[in-house]
Amino acid sequence: MEPSVQSFWFSTPAEQGLIPCVDSVGDALRFAADLGSDDLVVLDLASGHFIDCNRSAHERLGYSREHFLTLNPAAIQADAELADDLMHDQLRVMRQQPRGSFATRHRARCGACRDVSVSYQVLDLCGRLVALVSHRDRTELDTALRESSRLGSLLQEAERLTHVGSWELNHRTGELLWSNETYSIFNTAPELTAPSYGHFLQTVHPEDRSLVDATFQESFRTGRPYRIEHRLLLGDGLLKMVLERGRTTLGADGEPLTTVGTVQDISEQHEIQQRLERIAFVDPLTRLPNKAAAVRQLARLLRMAGSERGIALINLDLDNFQSINNSLGHEIGNQVLQASGSCLRHLMRPDDWLARVGSDEFILLRPMAMADRLEALQWAEQIRRTLGNSPGMGTGLAVQPSASLGVALAPDHGSDPDTLLRCANTALMEAKQHGKNQLRFYTPEISLQLRERLELELSLGRAIDREQLRLFYQPQIDRGGSRIAGAEALLRWRDQNGRMVSPNVFIPLAEKTGQIHTIGLWVIEEACRQLQEWHRQGLRLGKLAINISPLQLGAEHPSLSELLAGALSAYDLVPENLELEITETALLNDPERAGEQLRQLAESGFSLAIDDFGTGYSSLAMLHSLPLDKLKIDRFFVERLGNDDADLAIVKATIVMAKELGLMTLAEGVETAEQLGMLRNLGCDQFQGHLLGKPMPARDFGALLGRAAAA
Ligand code: C2E
Ligand code: MG
Ligand code: MG
């Protein structure tokens, strides 16, 4: 190896241990050979041996410089069998073409093969032909290229499988590139369509177009990522649902450079989602939206309305639905609900919204230009009036059942779904308190009353356990005015705060909550216990009257007869000791069933009295068919006896007719001697009232009985 060649080409400062001196740029360039990443080799074309190389040429193949310079091209050929032939071919080509390139494979000292690009330039070095050869290792590049083409097809496959296409928009040139899948989502092909933003917009469903355009333009302007679901309306009316996402890169000047996005065909998911929505948000019976949908819709409307616009909300509950269901069966019950739904639907304006939110409960929503109480009330009133007067289509009922309605208004009563729904429901409960076919507009006072009622209800539930209930006894006097013919047991409740709560308040409440059954049973047992105690004391009483609620009369397991029989036998009494007071209205609800119950009780030996007669519009003819013993004329008539001739006439006629029917009459609420005198003259048999004795505790009444017996 000639030192001159070596030093000319590849001597390095490190190898020489010196900082080399250079005289010209050309000299300086010599050092570039060691800095580059290509392998450089000087090959003697006559002998075929390497005569010089740079560091990377020997290091890449794992040889020391000295070892490498003992080799020739055949020694580093990957294919050992062809190595010599290949080398001779290469040398021949080099001699014929002083400059060129070809590809080959090298084997490193460790045995690993590398793909190499070879470029060469033949030089005349002082009369000696040498080739300056560059070996460029292509292994990584080839792998990367192979990998990238593999990734490319993988990506295409992934796009096809997931129905996600990708695209890139160059804002400077307007050029839009679509991936294969994007073409296929837009139902076209590269040879059929030259994509552009304008073309894309044309494929968007006309109803979604302006929103889509606005979303894209906003992203182009701000660079903010976007996500939007919209419909595509493609050729032949093909409808697709797509999800678009993307991001825009802005230049330093704030102008958009490129937008890269994906478009995903979610038609299938959309279809599934719609089906799920139908399951989750639609009431299968009426096909109306359900409660979850109503809450969602209300939230949506409230968001849109803000604080300026109004929303009227009606909570509607069908009257008597439970009894229709119970008496006519669920099939008819379902038909009633469906008919109610379609009746309500017919009353709706295009912007109104209707849902079935409970078994017989509906919600109606109406967006309004501004919260208008009058408009809301008129709307509700129209619904109330129409419902009860519409034919009960296909239900076997002559008319659609009436409804009770509660109305609330946003933003006046609340601006979130929860509050508004609660307000409308509170108004509905208030409407129901006042009977059927009623309409109430929400007011904060209603809430307060309702809360008080709730508190009352809760403490009433504990009244028996806390021994807060007592029975008072009011005497019933016979015509002569001296004999105690009987007594009425009247319930008293002193609550935990020591307040006396009137039975006129808590009995209707207990009837509503069902607590009346427990309370009623307590009354029966307590009355029987007390009567037995008086009997033991030798005190006799004609009959003890007990007030019976219509609900007790209708109870089945256990029935009223069973409860009474149990109490009588526990306290050694007989049915003849008791009189049962049933209000007139109790008989009106279900006269046939009540009649049956009463006949059973009468056969057992109980006396039966009609309480508050005259308040329920029952006819005496109807009472005739019932096994009654006594008719209690309501205090309302007794009070007016002195000042109203018409009332006098009514009382007179009642007493006459009652006598004809073989009924005894008792006048309630006798407060004055004048009233007593008039009633006596009219032929009334018994009297009860403050004049003759107020309701009193058992001990006082016992004492009264004792005195009467002694007299
Ligand atoms: P009612 O059965 O008609 O009872 C008569 C009511 O008139 C009692 O009111 C009694 O205190 C009142 N009264 C009697 N004489 C006079 C009078 O001269 N002047 C005036 N102003 N009032 C008089 P009370 O005790 O407040 O009971 C009210 C209603 O509560 C009863 O009317 C009855 O319907 C119901 N009630 C009372 N106790 C019971 C019970 O144990 N069970 C059931 N289901 N209802 C009961
Ligand atoms: Mg009574
Ligand atoms: Mg009464």
Side-chain angles (χ1 to χ4, degrees):
M1 176 119 8
E2 291 91 325
S4 60
V5 175
Q6 186 182 356
S7 63
F8 176 82
W9 288 104
F10 300 120
S11 297
T12 64
E15 281 158 354
Q16 293 173 3
L18 296 168
I19 304 267
C21 300
V22 291
D23 299 328
S24 66
V25 174
D27 275 355
L29 281 178
R30 287 185 289 148
F31 294 97
D34 268 352
L35 295 175
S37 60
D38 283 0
D39 308 350
L40 293 179
V41 178
V42 182
L43 178 68
D44 181 1
L45 286 189
S47 66
H49 272 93
F50 298 139
I51 53 177
D52 201 354
C53 66
N54 69 349
R55 189 193 295 168
S56 85
H58 62 85
E59 280 183 353
R60 203 188 302 269
L61 290 172
Y63 295 100
S64 69
R65 177 184 167 81
E66 288 69 29
H67 190 168
F68 189 79
L69 294 184
T70 63
L71 304 176
N72 63 11
I76 57 169
Q77 257 306 320
D79 191 342
E81 273 183 28
L82 296 175
D84 282 332
D85 291 348
L86 282 172
M87 180 182 78
H88 288 300
D89 281 353
Q90 287 164 6
L91 290 174
R92 186 171 41 79
V93 169
M94 285 181 186
R95 279 186 216 108
Q96 288 165 359
Q97 290 176 12
R99 187 188 178 95
S101 59
F102 55 88
T104 188
R105 265 165 88 75
H106 287 166
R107 183 181 299 278
R109 201 176 171 198
C110 65
C113 290
R114 319 287 301 174
D115 291 312
V116 181
S117 281
V118 179
S119 310
Y120 66 89
Q121 171 70 56
V122 179
L123 302 170
D124 182 342
L125 179 66
C126 309
R128 188 178 172 189
L129 280 187
V130 295
L132 176 60
V133 184
S134 142
H135 293 159
R136 180 168 294 170
D137 195 322
R138 296 185 45 93
T139 311
E140 264 115 40
L141 183 63
D142 282 355
T143 313
L145 281 176
R146 268 200 304 276
E147 189 68 2
S148 95
S149 103
R150 202 170 62 84
L151 278 178
S153 45
L154 255 183
L155 198 64
Q156 268 193 23
E157 187 60 13
E159 286 200 350
R160 210 174 53 76
L161 286 173
T162 56
H163 305 296
V164 181
S166 51
W167 54 265
E168 185 182 44
L169 173 65
N170 183 327
H171 291 273
R172 298 268 149 94
T173 62
E175 188 185 19
L176 177 61
L177 294 176
W178 279 2
S179 73
N180 286 349
E181 187 57 22
T182 307
Y183 279 102
S184 118
I185 288 174
F186 286 91
N187 222 26
T188 182
E191 52 282 8
L192 300 175
T193 304
S196 69
Y197 181 68
H199 171 80
F200 156 71
L201 270 189
Q202 284 308 308
T203 63
V204 175
H205 192 288
E207 286 173 16
D208 299 348
R209 200 170 289 153
S210 57
L211 180 67
V212 170
D213 190 27
T215 308
F216 275 76
Q217 296 300 344
E218 149 107 1
S219 170
F220 296 164
R221 210 175 49 252
T222 61
R224 246 178 262 136
Y226 65 83
R227 181 190 191 284
I228 184 172
E229 282 179 18
H230 64 85
R231 290 164 295 174
L232 295 178
L233 187 56
L234 304 167
D236 293 336
L238 178 64
L239 197 65
K240 285 189 181 181
M241 190 74 191
V242 291
L243 164 66
E244 302 241 24
R245 288 183 232 242
R247 180 191 290 277
T248 299
T249 310
L250 302 181
D253 55 359
E255 290 297 311
L257 291 176
T258 51
T259 302
V260 176
T262 59
V263 50
Q264 181 177 10
D265 183 349
I266 54 166
S267 309
E268 253 174 47
Q269 289 103 303
H270 186 68
E271 172 73 28
I272 292 170
Q273 195 179 337
Q274 283 205 324
R275 244 178 285 146
L276 285 177
E277 289 232 342
R278 275 199 289 279
I279 295 169
F281 293 108
V282 175
D283 162 43
L285 180 67
T286 57
R287 302 240 149 254
L288 289 173
N290 63 9
K291 172 129 193 210
V295 173
R296 199 173 60 160
Q297 175 68 2
L298 183 56
R300 203 176 283 162
L301 288 179
L302 284 166
R303 245 191 336 269
M304 277 159 51
S307 55
E308 305 287 296
R309 299 166 58 84
I311 296 167
L313 188 152
I314 297 178
N315 194 177
L316 178 152
D317 191 287
L318 296 180
D319 297 326
N320 284 337
F321 179 71
Q322 212 47 50
S323 3
I324 292 173
N325 225 6
N326 292 346
S327 50
L328 300 179
H330 285 243
E331 193 53 42
I332 299 289
N334 284 350
Q335 288 171 11
V336 166
L337 291 172
Q338 284 166 333
S340 309
S342 56
C343 182
L344 290 171
R345 225 184 254 133
H346 280 104
L347 290 172
M348 284 164 65
R349 291 203 312 220
D351 278 356
D352 293 350
W353 204 85
L354 168 68
R356 176 178 171 227
V357 297
S359 75
D360 57 345
E361 225 180 292
F362 295 82
I363 287 250
L364 293 107
L365 302 173
R366 171 173 287 185
M368 299 194 291
M370 48 186 253
D372 186 341
R373 183 192 144 96
L374 194 66
E375 185 190 336
L377 273 175
Q378 279 169 348
W379 179 40
E381 176 57 19
Q382 184 207 6
I383 291 172
R384 187 196 66 78
R385 222 176 311 130
T386 315
L387 258 194
N389 294 319
S390 299
M393 288 172 294
T395 62
L397 300 174
V399 288
Q400 178 64 44
S402 64
S404 303
L405 291 82
V407 189
L409 199 59
D412 300 20
H413 300 145
S415 44
D416 64 281
D418 245 23
T419 313
L420 264 187
L421 285 167
R422 215 178 31 244
C423 290
N425 190 254
T426 303
L428 170 64
M429 282 160 77
E430 178 66 15
K432 289 220 154 235
Q433 294 283 341
H434 289 82
K436 300 178 174 68
N437 204 5
Q438 296 282 322
L439 162 63
R440 285 292 178 281
F441 194 76
Y442 174 79
T443 60
E445 293 77 55
I446 293 182
S447 271
L448 197 71
Q449 285 164 13
L450 225 74
R451 200 164 55 236
E452 281 172 358
R453 220 156 24 216
L454 188 70
E455 279 166 13
L456 197 69
E457 189 184 313
L458 289 176
S459 44
L460 180 60
R462 282 164 289 179
I464 295 181
D465 297 341
R466 293 179 175 176
E467 300 184 349
Q468 292 169 349
L469 296 182
R470 292 268 176 284
L471 281 184
F472 272 34
Y473 299 87
Q474 186 175 30
Q476 298 173 335
I477 309 298
D478 73 355
R479 257 182 82 74
S482 52
R483 201 176 67 85
I484 299 177
E488 179 176 7
L490 292 162
L491 195 52
R492 295 289 174 267
W493 175 27
R494 191 181 287 279
D495 74 3
Q496 64 272 29
N497 304 318
R499 272 183 317 211
M500 288 302 288
V501 187
S502 162
N504 285 321
V505 173
F506 72 82
I507 293 288
L509 182 66
E511 284 175 338
K512 256 181 210 118
T513 61
Q515 289 161 320
I516 190 66
H517 296 288
T518 324
I519 292 175
L521 178 60
W522 181 87
V523 170
I524 292 171
E525 288 184 335
E526 174 59 14
C528 289
R529 188 199 62 74
Q530 186 58 57
L531 195 56
Q532 185 196 44
E533 197 179 314
W534 284 328
H535 285 180
R536 282 201 186 125
Q537 295 167 10
L539 301 171
R540 288 287 143 188
L541 180 68
K543 281 184 193 295
L544 179 57
I546 300 176
N547 289 286
I548 298 293
S549 151
L551 291 178
Q552 288 174 278
L553 194 62
E556 280 185 1
H557 303 293
S559 68
L560 180 61
S561 307
E562 287 164 343
L563 292 182
L564 286 164
L568 290 177
S569 83
Y571 296 103
D572 244 347
L573 299 172
V574 289
E576 286 69 19
N577 293 132
L578 297 183
E579 184 165 77
L580 306 178
E581 291 192 8
I582 320 264
T583 51
E584 196 187 353
T585 38
L587 302 180
L588 290 176
N589 282 348
D590 188 355
E592 252 175 57
R593 181 157 165 67
E596 203 180 297
Q597 300 275 338
L598 292 184
R599 267 183 286 279
Q600 215 178 29
L601 291 167
E603 273 165 25
S604 307
F606 293 100
S607 286
L608 299 175
I610 284 290
D611 205 353
D612 305 342
F613 184 78
T615 56
Y617 314 104
S618 60
S619 70
L620 278 170
M622 186 193 97
L623 298 183
H624 177 51
S625 61
L626 298 173
L628 301 171
D629 300 283
K630 192 187 273 185
L631 203 143
K632 297 184 77 176
I633 301 166
D634 194 68
R635 199 173 78 222
F636 174 85
F637 296 102
V638 176
E639 230 170 41
R640 286 153 204 252
L641 270 183
N643 32 22
D644 193 323
D645 287 348
D647 285 320
L648 179 71
I650 291 173
V651 174
K652 193 173 171 184
T654 306
I655 292 172
V656 169
M657 281 198 273
K659 276 201 185 319
E660 299 251 308
L661 294 173
L663 296 178
M664 188 180 267
T665 48
L666 180 147
E668 295 187 281
V670 181
E671 292 183 344
T672 64
E674 191 196 356
Q675 287 167 346
L676 182 63
M678 288 173 90
L679 287 161
R680 243 192 213 131
N681 289 341
L682 290 173
C684 190
D685 301 307
Q686 291 182 348
F687 315 97
Q688 183 181 340
H690 291 176
L691 178 72
L692 305 153
K694 289 188 174 177
M696 59 191 89
R699 202 157 29 102
D700 298 353
F701 191 78
L704 184 71
L705 276 182
R707 283 199 300 278

